[in-house]
Amino acid sequence: MNCCSLLPFMLGILLLWPCLAAKENSDTEEMKHPAGAHPRVKRGWMWNHFFVPEEMNKPHHHIGQLKSDIDNGNNSFQYKLLGAGAGSIFAIDEKTGDIYAVQKLDREEQSLYTLRAQVIDTTTGKAVEPESEFVIRVLDINDNEPQFLDEPYEAIVPEMSPEGTFVIQVTASDADDPSSGNNARLLYSLLQGQPYFSIEPTTGVIRISSQTDRELQDEYWVIIQAKDMIGLPGALSGTTSVLIKLSDVNDNKPAFKEGLHRMTVSESAPTGTFIGKIKAYDKDIGENAEMDYSIEDDSLTFDIITNNETQEGIVILKKRVDFERQNQYLIPARVKNRHVDEQLMKYHAETSTTLIKVQVEDADEPPVFLRPYYMFEIFEGRPHGSLVGMVSATDPDQRNSPIWYSITRSRVFRIDDNGTIITTNPLDRETSAWHNLSIIATEEYNVQQISAVPVYVQVLNINDHAPEFSEYYEIYVCENAGSGQIIQTISAVDRDESIEDHHFYFNLSVEDSKNSSFTIIDNQDNTAVILTNRTGFSLQEEPVFYISVLIADNGIPSLTSTNTLSIQVCDCDDDGSTQTCGNKDFMLSTGFRTKVIIAMLICIVIIFGLKYRRKQSLFPEKGEDFRENIFRYDDEGGGEEDTEAFDIAELRSSAVMRARKSRRSATAEIRSLYRQSLQVGPDSAIFRKFILEKLEEADTDPCAPPFDSLQTYAYEGTGSLAGSLSSLGSAASDQDENYDYLNELGPRFKRLACMFGSAMRPNN
């Protein structure tokens, strides 16, 4: 078969290139059709394909020819080329139908072009045949070299990895047609990187081929080449570089470069002082280079800590040093890695060591007392200059400076140059049982060097204080008290300190034991009781008794004190209540108050009963003492013309009248005595003193009215609507008075109602 034969059909296509391809395709097609078929049919599939190699550099390269079966060569037919690339990439000779490539074709840009052809009769201007479609296929040639598209390549692999360890895989690509021969079949090879690395030719996998050591070389540049056409002659190639870094493993132990480190420290340096630092070196990096330092110091004087940032060992003072005791230390130090894997322990079997020599420097130290504190004892009352004790301090330095002693803020002690403490004033344990002193020691050669020590002085007790009453006693006895009645329990205290428990003994003085109306019984438990020694007492005849009580202690020698007790005679209730007697002073001071309150209530009833128009308060000074209230109440009297309201003679005569009145009965006598205790009579010494004091107070008061100097009102006066409120003139009418109305005034007047009511019923 001729490669240039014309295939008759609607259009004949002349195949000029490649004949070999047409031959192969024709032979293949002949195998597909049965024998004896028409030859046009066998080759009919080839009419619409043109094959052209890429990268043809000849201008107007001829591709093939289109020719119609009815073209008789008279040049009356016109051939036209239509479709993508027609006119720009491909051109056709309108008269002959020859197709040319006007540009260089690149299969990698476009491997297939689809065009249409048409034949027109120039005489008629009409198409002689329908349009026919055909294909121009660009054939591949090896015009592209392999390329590594994932550059740059970088990999990290641990050092000392075993052979065959995977590192990284590189991949190149070839733009040529992989189905066209070996144009795109690649082989990889190692141009640089032996003997530590190798590459698989077909996969591009890089592996370890020899043991590596990061401390010798921590990274490698490996050059990889990729060739197409499986490396045959004429093949194209491309290269790339791979950076392989080795990661560290802890295969090196830290080590000291020096076997001896010298340091110094002053003996005055406090604990925690920085002395120096040591440093070990590790070829590893990162976490594998972290280390811990330790020292072997039996004296526990020094310590070492690790600086995690610089990996240095910081030596510090753990305990104070003394040059005079030890002036040099030799300390072994060790270092080891902090993080070591089990499989790498063989590299760390032995630790690195070094020696630290610390030289202690002498310093001028302050004096040192022989004891941390001193405690002395001395009896109280010792004379001036008595010895208390002695303190001692020395200079620890070699020059042994003399020491001066002084004492701070003390008025009762002083200290000599030799450290002897003596008293400057007598000591009293009851004033201060302990004295806390501070003794200062100063070097004579350097007064800046001082030390202080506490000194505690205990003042021992001597029996120099007699016992005394534990409190002030206010003792009362009723007029009707019987003999042997206990009226008070007393106790004593002693300011002295006793080794044994205090024990006190109570007795009456010799004079009181013979003539006293009272006696004392010692309970043998540091208390005693006062008892009456007779029956009946008289408030009028002897209102106060004084007895002397002797109290002795059990000290050596024993001391005795005389203590005076005052016993008040009281007018008691019928039941002889001690509590009532204890409130006698209060009853005396408030006797008039009850009368005044009753008078006020009566006045209020009268005022409201008579519809008195005056609305001003009768008691403008309610917050003041009742005596002041009585002073304000004088407007109810008869004024200056009423002289009976403050007649002293009337007071005296009334009191005398009561004193001379014959005894009528026991009940009437009790009522009379009670009323005498309530009035301020000049014949009573106690009441006389009270009146004189109030008189002096009124005389010196510029605001007091001149006519009311005594501030005492026996009755309201003849001009008062309330009548007389005084009991001075009531002696003649005692039998006629009725006090039952007191029961109607409420609980506050219950006591008055009981006293006056019960006194009147027997008389009536």
Side-chain angles (χ1 to χ4, degrees):
M1 181 175 61
N2 192 340
C3 65
C4 297
S5 62
L6 182 63
L7 299 179
F9 197 63
M10 295 179 64
L11 290 176
I13 302 176
L14 179 62
L15 300 180
L16 301 178
W17 183 272
C19 295
L20 179 59
K23 176 74 167 56
E24 292 177 354
N25 292 334
S26 176
D27 294 343
T28 303
E29 187 62 28
E30 287 176 358
M31 295 174 62
K32 297 180 181 178
H33 295 278
H38 197 278
R40 290 178 183 267
V41 178
K42 289 188 218 180
R43 301 189 300 271
W45 66 275
M46 296 181 56
W47 71 271
N48 61 346
H49 276 73
F50 289 98
F51 296 89
V52 59
E54 63 175 335
E55 301 293 339
M56 297 301 293
N57 296 325
K58 296 179 181 180
H60 294 82
H61 174 70
H62 185 265
I63 297 176
Q65 183 182 20
L66 298 177
K67 191 156 179 77
S68 176
D69 291 340
I70 60 175
D71 186 0
N72 54 11
N74 57 2
N75 297 326
S76 61
F77 287 172
Q78 181 182 5
Y79 294 92
K80 287 187 177 182
L81 191 64
L82 304 174
S88 58
I89 299 176
F90 303 101
I92 191 172
D93 188 338
E94 294 182 351
K95 294 182 178 181
T96 62
D98 292 316
I99 301 175
Y100 299 94
V102 297
Q103 291 184 8
K104 183 172 68 172
L105 301 178
D106 189 352
R107 189 200 66 83
E108 286 71 37
E109 293 183 1
Q110 188 170 349
S111 62
L112 185 69
Y113 297 90
T114 302
L115 302 174
R116 301 189 309 276
Q118 189 179 37
V119 181
I120 299 175
D121 188 352
T122 56
T123 59
T124 62
K126 295 181 180 180
V128 296
E129 291 184 16
E131 289 184 1
S132 179
E133 188 177 78
F134 64 95
V135 174
I136 298 177
R137 190 178 297 275
V138 182
L139 299 177
D140 181 55
I141 62 174
N142 191 18
D143 60 342
N144 290 281
E145 62 184 17
Q147 293 184 351
F148 294 91
L149 303 180
D150 297 329
E151 293 181 312
Y153 292 98
E154 184 175 324
I156 299 176
V157 63
E159 64 172 328
M160 303 180 66
S161 297
E163 295 182 11
T165 301
F166 174 83
V167 179
I168 194 174
Q169 184 178 13
V170 296
T171 303
S173 62
D174 197 322
D176 292 327
D177 188 1
S179 61
S180 177
N182 297 320
N183 292 345
R185 294 183 63 183
L186 306 179
L187 285 180
Y188 299 94
S189 60
L190 199 64
L191 300 182
Q192 178 181 310
Q194 299 91 348
Y196 301 105
F197 303 96
S198 62
I199 189 169
E200 295 179 358
T202 58
T203 61
V205 174
I206 302 176
R207 297 183 182 276
I208 296 291
S209 61
S210 180
Q211 192 175 40
T212 56
D213 188 356
R214 189 201 64 82
E215 287 71 35
L216 296 178
Q217 186 175 349
D218 59 352
E219 62 183 23
Y220 296 85
W221 282 100
V222 178
I223 299 177
I224 306 299
Q225 182 185 60
K227 276 187 177 184
D228 58 11
M229 295 184 67
I230 59 175
L232 295 176
L236 301 179
S237 64
T239 60
T240 187
S241 297
V242 180
L243 176 61
I244 300 177
K245 296 181 179 180
L246 298 182
S247 60
D248 183 57
V249 297
N250 198 356
D251 59 336
N252 294 277
K253 66 179 181 180
F256 293 103
K257 291 184 177 181
E258 300 176 1
L260 180 65
H261 295 78
R262 300 180 183 273
M263 301 178 185
T264 59
V265 60
S266 173
E267 64 174 339
S268 62
T271 57
T273 300
F274 167 79
I275 299 177
K277 58 185 178 180
I278 60 177
K279 185 174 179 62
Y281 296 88
D282 195 331
K283 295 179 181 179
D284 297 322
I285 59 174
E287 185 182 79
N288 296 326
E290 294 180 0
M291 58 191 74
D292 290 320
Y293 295 88
S294 62
I295 58 175
E296 299 176 1
D297 180 19
D298 296 334
S299 65
L300 303 178
T301 307
F302 303 94
D303 197 5
I304 189 169
I305 58 177
T306 302
N307 187 330
N308 293 324
E309 295 182 359
T310 62
Q311 297 302 314
E312 294 175 327
I314 309 301
V315 182
I316 60 175
L317 186 63
K318 188 177 181 181
K319 188 171 62 175
R320 294 287 296 269
V321 293
D322 188 353
F323 175 82
E324 288 72 26
R325 183 173 300 176
Q326 184 175 355
N327 58 12
Q328 181 177 289
Y329 295 85
L330 194 62
I331 309 167
R334 297 180 181 274
V335 64
K336 63 179 181 179
N337 279 132
R338 189 175 300 170
H339 310 284
V340 181
D341 294 335
E342 189 68 26
Q343 62 271 21
L344 298 174
M345 287 298 297
K346 59 182 179 180
Y347 299 105
H348 301 267
E350 297 181 1
T351 58
S352 179
T353 61
T354 188
L355 288 177
I356 302 175
K357 186 176 182 180
V358 181
Q359 187 70 37
V360 180
E361 296 179 344
D362 189 19
D364 190 5
E365 299 176 274
V368 177
F369 284 93
L370 301 183
R371 299 180 186 177
Y373 65 92
Y374 292 86
M375 183 177 294
F376 303 115
E377 296 178 348
I378 184 173
F379 282 98
E380 64 176 329
R382 296 291 297 273
H384 167 79
S386 298
L387 174 65
V388 178
M390 178 179 290
V391 299
S392 178
T394 60
D395 182 6
D397 299 320
Q398 293 179 346
R399 62 181 181 177
N400 194 17
S401 171
I403 304 299
W404 296 340
Y405 298 94
S406 61
I407 188 169
T408 59
R409 295 188 300 275
S410 178
R411 298 181 179 179
V412 294
F413 300 97
R414 67 181 180 85
I415 189 169
D416 294 338
D417 293 339
N418 61 354
T420 302
I421 303 174
I422 58 177
T423 61
T424 58
N425 289 295
L427 303 177
D428 186 2
R429 191 203 65 82
E430 288 70 32
T431 302
S432 178
W434 285 89
H435 294 270
N436 299 331
L437 309 178
S438 180
I439 304 299
I440 305 298
T442 306
E443 290 187 8
E444 181 178 351
Y445 297 156
N446 185 1
V447 295
Q448 301 298 325
Q449 296 296 340
I450 60 175
S451 297
V453 68
V455 176
Y456 308 102
V457 180
Q458 182 181 12
V459 182
L460 301 180
N461 180 64
I462 62 174
N463 194 18
D464 59 344
H465 289 83
E468 56 188 14
F469 285 138
S470 60
E471 60 180 285
Y472 174 75
Y473 294 104
E474 294 183 356
I475 305 177
Y476 304 96
V477 62
C478 296
E479 289 182 305
N480 57 354
S483 177
Q485 180 178 341
I486 297 176
I487 62 174
Q488 183 68 45
T489 299
I490 60 176
S491 62
V493 293
D494 194 337
R495 291 190 294 166
D496 290 323
E497 187 180 49
S498 177
I499 299 177
E500 301 177 354
D501 293 337
H502 283 292
H503 188 77
F504 305 112
Y505 305 93
F506 299 88
N507 286 291
L508 291 179
S509 64
V510 177
E511 295 79 3
D512 290 339
S513 299
K514 296 179 180 179
N515 304 320
S516 177
S517 300
F518 302 91
T519 186
I520 187 170
I521 296 178
D522 193 338
N523 294 330
Q524 300 300 318
D525 60 353
N526 293 338
T527 63
V529 292
I530 306 297
L531 301 90
T532 58
N533 202 22
R534 73 180 193 186
T535 300
F537 295 87
S538 175
L539 175 63
Q540 294 294 326
E541 296 177 358
E542 197 170 5
V544 181
F545 290 89
Y546 299 96
I547 61 174
S548 298
V549 179
L550 303 180
I551 307 177
D553 60 16
N554 61 337
I556 300 175
S558 177
L559 294 181
T560 303
S561 65
T562 301
N563 302 267
T564 302
L565 287 176
S566 62
I567 303 175
Q568 302 284 339
V569 179
C570 298
D571 183 8
C572 299
D573 293 339
D574 293 338
D575 56 359
S577 173
T578 304
Q579 181 178 3
T580 304
C581 288
N583 295 332
K584 187 64 180 175
D585 287 344
F586 176 78
M587 293 293 295
L588 290 173
S589 63
T590 59
F592 287 112
R593 299 182 189 179
T594 305
K595 292 286 186 177
V596 173
I597 292 174
I598 296 174
M600 290 179 181
L601 293 175
I602 295 175
C603 291
I604 293 174
V605 172
I606 294 174
I607 290 172
F608 279 97
L610 299 177
K611 297 182 180 180
Y612 190 62
R613 297 181 180 179
R614 184 177 181 179
K615 296 183 180 180
Q616 182 178 0
S617 173
L618 298 177
F619 314 107
E621 304 293 338
K622 294 176 67 177
E624 299 180 2
D625 194 322
F626 276 110
R627 296 187 183 91
E628 295 299 324
N629 291 337
I630 295 173
F631 171 76
R632 297 296 181 182
Y633 191 68
D634 60 357
D635 59 347
E636 292 295 333
E640 295 182 0
E641 298 177 357
D642 187 4
T643 59
E644 297 179 1
F646 54 94
D647 190 355
I648 299 299
E650 180 66 17
L651 292 175
R652 181 178 292 105
S653 62
S654 298
V656 172
M657 179 183 61
R658 284 179 174 269
R660 295 179 179 178
K661 190 173 63 172
S662 61
R663 180 180 299 270
R664 292 168 296 180
S665 64
T667 305
E669 184 66 20
I670 292 175
R671 293 177 55 204
S672 175
L673 290 176
Y674 181 78
R675 290 180 179 178
Q676 289 183 21
S677 66
L678 293 179
Q679 68 180 351
V680 185
D683 294 336
S684 174
I686 298 176
F687 298 151
R688 186 184 301 108
K689 181 180 179 182
F690 170 77
I691 292 176
L692 292 177
E693 290 178 355
K694 301 307 293 183
L695 177 61
E696 183 180 359
E697 179 181 344
D699 290 342
T700 57
D701 186 1
C703 299
F707 60 85
D708 199 10
S709 58
L710 289 180
Q711 302 184 25
T712 304
Y713 302 91
Y715 53 88
E716 289 298 320
T718 57
S720 172
L721 296 177
S724 176
L725 298 179
S726 174
S727 60
L728 294 177
S730 61
S733 60
D734 283 345
Q735 303 294 334
D736 300 332
E737 292 182 7
N738 185 6
Y739 296 98
D740 292 338
Y741 69 90
L742 295 175
N743 294 318
E744 302 175 359
L745 297 180
R748 295 187 178 182
F749 298 92
K750 184 177 181 180
R751 175 65 62 182
L752 291 176
C754 179
M755 290 189 300
F756 287 94
S758 60
M760 290 301 299
R761 277 192 292 270
N763 293 335
N764 292 335

